[in-house]
Amino acid sequence: MKTLFAMLAVMVMAATVSCNNTSTPAPKLFCDTVCLKDTIKFTGTHEKQPTVFITAKDCRADSIIWSYKGMGADRKTGITYLLNATVNINKDFIRCYFKNSEVAYVLFNDCQTGRGFQIKLPYDKSQNFSLKSSGINSIDPKFVIAENLMVNTDRGNVYVEDMSTGKTAMMTFGEKLDIDYDAIHDHIDSVNVTTDRIWAKILTGKEWITKEKKLTPADWKDGK
């Protein structure tokens, strides 16, 4: 009888340890949320030397500043104010495209969620900067995008802007997808976009399908 009680006690203790050691694995990060300490700087090749600076404070991106040689006063805004969110930016997962000294495009993904952000920064002080928080960026290895193109979605369509010309094109999904931009791959598995074609693999209902649109010069419209 004592042996039986001893065996039961061991089984209870083992079950307790097993329960205590059970934990939910942490979600996989898109990129390393390393402390951002140094200013990130981009410089264009135009003779006016357009620049974009992203400053850091308390391990996060703090402000974005853009200017060019001879511009006078810099343009500046707070990152959190602009995005209306706190994000983790890694200097290796951000890129900047300059259209001469007219506009700078900053594209990056939040390391915590992988969500894509796109900021359009005009150097003309009479023009407002703009933000897309549903970016489909080539920083994500499942999204293959031509170097000069910026791509995003509104859940029902894919929109493309040629950053070198300002012209735009689009492709419809044919329905509205229930996309959570913080988990975009739950509904958009992969994308491939060039100046000649838009292709995407998307989830409709419970089925993965592909959508494709061939682009002709007539499909590219003057941007607003």
Side-chain angles (χ1 to χ4, degrees):
M1 184 64 71
K2 289 183 179 180
T3 302
L4 178 60
F5 281 127
M7 290 176 63
L8 288 173
V10 170
M11 291 172 64
V12 170
M13 289 177 63
T16 301
V17 171
S18 177
C19 290
N20 289 340
N21 288 339
T22 301
S23 60
T24 303
K28 184 178 179 180
L29 298 178
F30 179 81
C31 51
D32 189 353
T33 56
V34 63
C35 176
L36 183 65
K37 297 180 180 179
D38 300 323
T39 295
I40 301 172
K41 178 183 179 181
F42 300 98
T43 303
T45 58
H46 189 269
E47 60 183 10
K48 290 186 178 180
Q49 299 176 10
T51 56
V52 172
F53 294 88
I54 297 175
T55 64
K57 182 180 179 181
D58 299 329
C59 288
R60 295 183 183 272
D62 180 58
S63 298
I64 187 165
I65 304 164
W66 64 109
S67 184
Y68 60 71
K69 186 178 180 180
M71 179 173 156
D74 298 343
R75 301 196 71 179
K76 178 180 180 180
T77 186
I79 290 287
T80 301
Y81 167 78
L82 175 62
L83 305 183
N84 195 29
T86 300
V87 297
N88 288 97
I89 295 178
N90 185 312
K91 64 180 180 61
D92 296 323
F93 291 82
I94 183 171
R95 60 182 290 253
C96 184
Y97 184 97
F98 292 93
K99 180 185 177 185
N100 300 320
S101 61
E102 300 172 30
V103 181
Y105 297 81
V106 178
L107 286 67
F108 67 91
N109 287 59
D110 174 30
C111 285
Q112 194 73 36
T113 64
R115 184 172 189 160
F117 291 89
Q118 301 166 340
I119 307 172
K120 187 175 181 178
L121 303 170
Y123 287 90
D124 184 341
K125 296 179 182 179
S126 68
Q127 299 179 27
N128 291 327
F129 49 80
S130 61
L131 166 73
K132 298 290 185 183
S133 57
S134 56
I136 297 175
N137 297 333
S138 60
I139 297 165
D140 187 318
K142 299 208 74 176
F143 297 149
V144 180
I145 314 293
E147 182 73 17
N148 60 306
L149 301 181
M150 181 174 73
V151 181
N152 49 68
T153 181
D154 66 351
R155 298 186 174 93
N157 308 279
V158 172
Y159 296 99
V160 184
E161 180 176 347
D162 186 334
M163 296 181 287
S164 67
T165 65
K167 289 184 176 292
T168 61
M170 59 87 68
M171 179 185 77
T172 181
F173 292 141
E175 62 181 282
K176 197 170 186 67
L177 305 182
D178 188 24
I179 298 174
D180 176 357
Y181 296 130
D182 288 337
I184 195 168
H185 287 297
D186 288 351
H187 283 85
I188 302 180
D189 174 76
S190 49
V191 170
N192 192 308
V193 183
T194 67
T195 53
D196 300 319
R197 182 183 75 142
I198 304 173
W199 179 95
K201 183 178 179 181
I202 62 174
L203 181 65
T204 62
K206 296 183 179 180
E207 181 182 5
W208 287 97
I209 65 170
T210 59
K211 288 280 187 177
E212 182 175 7
K213 181 178 180 178
K214 300 289 186 180
L215 298 176
T216 67
D219 291 311
W220 290 95
K221 311 298 182 183
D222 289 330
K224 296 180 179 180

